[in-house]
Structure formats: structure tokens, C-alpha cells
Amino acid sequence: METNPTIPARPLPPLDATTPERVAAQFGELRTQFDQDAELATDENGWKVLRDAWLGRKSGVLTRVTETWLKPSPPELKRAVGQALNELKAHVEAALEARHAAIQAAADQSALAREREDLSLPGVVRPLGSRHPLRQTFEEIERIFLSLGYSVVAGPEMETPYYNFEALNIPEHHPARDNMDTFYMAAPFANDAQGKPGVAPLLLRTHTSPMQIRAMEKQQPPVRIIVPGKVYRRDNPDATHGFMFHQIEGLAVDTDITFCDFKGTVEYFVREFLGPKVKTRLRPSYFPFTEPSVEVDATCVFCGGKGCNVCKQSGWIELFGAGMVDPAVYGFVHYDAKKYSGFAFGLGVERLTQLKYNINDLQLYFQNDVRFLRQFA
Ligand code: 2NL
């Protein structure tokens, strides 16, 4: 803290001396006064006040001594007064300089102490996060299909009705296109088939298949891809429903791909994902974009196939839908349906994660409660 010391005003009595000894005595008193004043100057401010009080050009003590003691002194004392004044001046200047150096050193010292980093303080602890269970499932599934030679591609979540429906053999009045299931954008509108601005609204993709159509448009077979991502379907959220979920679709198209290849790939995937003890079975199903279509079931992971509440005593659990790509789809992407064949599948990431970790409420994935997330670290 800076102080604001008051150096006492030093009234200067007239020089009352007739001998050099008396002159020396009066200068001695002045010097004592200065030394007392100097004691009061303990910081920069105080030092300046001290300096101005004693060396100030107009009314500093030394100026007044010159004016009122030296100048009017009788000739026989002038030499003694002059000499004493010079000595006093030398003393004042030297003392001021020494004091200034000491004050600055002390200020530097306290600044150093004040600004020193305390390296012994504990650091900021940043808790380690963990991968979200859905992300872990994504990565596990991607690992399995990468090991089979598939590549991973991603695409837009906002789509045109053409890529989301038409090219997948879902015609205009198919129930899957119902407004009840699909989120449509108020704007902008999709271009028509000729690339002209159209009136059909864009939508949020209801599956990741549109990106598979885009991939087939870009390249001829062989194709082996998986497409992970978010998909949207209008729904009211509860323990088993959401308006957004995650999907990984897969597609393999080549010459001579048979139902056997399809079955082998499905069995390999299920065993890699759920473990070697699990058996799979295929049940007939229906999708507009595959023919034949199947549901893939696995022996219940909770009871090992004996029957429990989760599998409703059947011993089997439904995993995902799949099938051989319907030749109608090849027509849209200009593949020769006589030359090529293939299979496709659509995995629900939430569902597979639930089965793997026995999670009973879909909403847990999206509430970001660390008590839930921490269990998957
Ligand atoms: C399900 C079933 C499926 C497909 C998705 C597909 C994609 C193309 C061509 C043919 Cl480009 N098929 N995808 C096939 C069968 C089933 O999803 O339950 N999804 C949640």
C-alpha cells in the first residue's frame, strides 16, 4: 500500500550566527531535520514529497537557505555558509538517491512475492469422459464390417423424397410415406428430376438407405458399404419410442452374390457382436426394397434360449431386418439387374445396444445422466 506521508513544513529561521562554529551548528540542526524527514519517506510517493520539500527549485529548503542564509550573510561568514550549504546539499542528494534505490528494491521484492506462482497448488481436475454406449456400438459394428472389407460412408440427414422413398421402391401412396411417420421441411423444396426447383418438400431421412442409393449412383459394383447415422420418424417418446434413432444400413452388390453369402455374413456379424454361443434364425418378412425379406433373430442373450420375460418365453429375440436387394432398386441406379445381385440390412443401433447391455429405457440414451453413462466407461 502506498502511504501519503506529510513531511512537516520546515519554517526556516533566519541565520543567527556570528561565527563559523554557530554556522556549522545551525546547518547541523537542518541536517538532523532532513534525516528525520527522510525516515518518513517509505515509498515512492513519500520519497517524491521529501525530494520536493528539500530540493524543490522554488521553495525547497535548500533554495530558501541559499536565498535567506547565504545571499544576505556578511562577507566574513559567506565562505563558511557556502561550504556548509554545499555539504548539506551533497548529504541530501546522496541520502535521497540511496533512499530511492532502497524503496524501489523493496517494491520489486514485494511485487515478486505478490506475483509468484504457487506451484504447490493442486491443478484443475478434468474428469475423464467415456464413449457413449451408442458410439461404442457404432464402433463395434464398424469394426466387424471393416474386417469383412466393407467401407463406411455417411450422407445428409435432410433428403429428397426421391432418395428416401422412390429409389427404394416405395411408391407415392405407400403407408411408409404417411405424414404420420415422416418429418417434412417447411422449406426449402427439393428440385425435380430435371434439376428444376420443385414443389416436393425436403424431409428428414427415415432410414440411411438414401445414402446407399447415392453411393450406387456414383459407382458400379462391386459395392460393399455400411452407412451409419441418425434417422427420424414421427413418434411420441417413451421407453420404447423416439422421434430420432440411429441406424447402420449395409449393402453388398456384386456378381454372383447369393442368399448363402447373405446368410453367412449375417451369422458372422451376429456371432462377432453377441458372442460365439448365440444362434441365429431367419424369419420371412417384407420390405419394399428387398425380395425376399427376412427378420434376423438370435437366441435370447438373457436366458440363453430357455425362455424368459425379455423374449416372452420364446427363447428368441428379433435383431434386425434384411434381405436380397429388390431388382427394382437396381433400375433406379442403372445397375444391370441380370448381371448383379446383392443383399442389404438395416441395424437399429439403440436396439442392439439395449440387447448387449440390458438397457430397459430408450430415453436413457439421450438424458446425458452421468450415473447412466459412467456404467459404460
Ligand atoms: C429395418 C430394416 C432394412 C434395408 C434396410 C436397403 C437399402 C438399399 C436397398 C435395399 Cl439401398 N435395402 N436397406 C434392407 C432391408 C431392411 O432395414 O428394420 N430397419 C430399421
Side-chain angles (χ1 to χ4, degrees), residues 39-361:
E39 288 300 311
L40 298 171
T42 53
D43 62 20
E44 187 70 21
N45 254 355
W47 180 84
K48 279 181 185 157
V49 172
L50 175 71
R51 180 198 56 193
D52 295 346
W54 285 83
L55 293 182
R57 227 173 266 285
K58 267 194 181 148
S59 53
V61 174
L62 293 184
T63 299
R64 283 183 284 139
V65 169
T66 306
E67 295 300 323
T68 62
W69 286 8
L70 179 63
K71 284 188 181 168
S73 64
E76 67 276 14
L77 282 181
K78 206 153 224 149
R79 191 183 157 84
V81 175
Q83 207 169 353
L85 177 56
N86 280 342
E87 279 164 17
L88 179 63
K89 196 176 179 199
H91 171 72
V92 166
E93 281 172 351
L96 275 170
E97 200 170 311
R99 191 135 201 110
H100 200 212
I103 286 169
Q104 277 185 336
D108 286 352
Q109 212 49 47
S110 70
L112 268 183
R114 198 171 50 244
E115 290 158 17
R116 207 184 78 213
E117 295 277 358
D118 183 353
L119 298 180
S120 70
L121 280 174
V124 178
V125 179
R126 300 189 192 283
L128 271 190
S130 59
R131 287 176 306 148
H132 192 280
L134 292 179
R135 178 54 44 203
Q136 294 186 36
T137 300
F138 267 119
E139 288 174 13
E140 172 70 356
I141 295 171
E142 286 168 17
R143 179 193 69 75
I144 295 167
F145 282 100
L146 285 168
S147 80
L148 289 170
Y150 287 68
S151 25
V152 181
V153 296
E157 290 175 17
M158 206 157 56
E159 268 294 359
T160 67
Y162 175 79
Y163 284 108
N164 196 75
F165 294 128
E166 242 106 78
L168 285 154
N169 201 31
I170 305 173
E172 181 100 44
H173 296 291
H174 194 279
R177 290 179 80 150
D178 200 308
N179 283 328
M180 294 293 278
D181 296 321
T182 309
F183 289 113
Y184 286 90
M185 301 289 146
F189 294 111
N191 294 343
D192 68 13
Q194 284 75 46
K196 290 203 196 92
V199 290
L202 290 174
L203 49 82
L204 291 179
R205 66 183 180 188
T206 59
H207 40 199
T208 61
S209 330
M211 189 53 212
Q212 293 178 307
I213 299 294
R214 291 175 185 277
M216 285 190 281
E217 280 180 343
K218 278 224 180 84
Q219 64 162 105
Q220 284 291 307
V223 171
R224 277 178 187 78
I225 55 170
I226 56 171
V227 185
K230 286 184 166 67
V231 301
Y232 302 84
R233 294 181 192 180
R234 191 212 162 282
D235 224 331
N236 297 315
D238 65 20
T240 55
H241 298 85
F243 53 81
M244 182 277 297
F245 62 98
H246 296 84
Q247 212 191 16
I248 299 185
E249 283 209 17
L251 174 72
V253 183
D254 206 337
T255 53
D256 307 311
I257 288 194
T258 67
F259 198 84
C260 263
D261 299 309
F262 166 57
K263 229 180 134 177
T265 301
V266 163
E267 282 180 7
Y268 174 79
F269 164 72
V270 173
R271 238 175 258 147
E272 282 287 306
F273 188 75
L274 291 177
K277 290 202 190 96
V278 171
K279 292 189 173 62
T280 60
R281 79 176 180 190
L282 305 182
R283 274 182 297 118
S285 184
Y286 171 79
F287 299 108
F289 31 78
T290 47
E291 182 61 35
S293 304
V294 301
E295 296 293 337
V296 179
D297 294 347
T299 44
C300 179
V301 285
F302 301 106
C303 64
K306 288 189 191 73
C308 66
N309 281 341
V310 180
C311 62
K312 298 192 186 97
Q313 311 306 328
S314 75
W316 294 93
I317 281 192
E318 185 180 318
L319 291 185
F320 58 90
M324 301 302 287
V325 176
D326 192 306
V329 174
Y330 295 136
F332 288 99
V333 296
H334 310 295
Y335 278 11
D336 184 346
K338 290 201 182 71
K339 199 166 150 199
Y340 298 116
S341 57
F343 57 83
F345 51 86
L347 312 175
V349 180
E350 278 80 354
R351 175 159 181 78
L352 291 180
T353 309
Q354 267 171 312
L355 292 178
K356 196 157 178 168
Y357 299 114
N358 196 6
I359 295 164
N360 56 20
D361 186 347

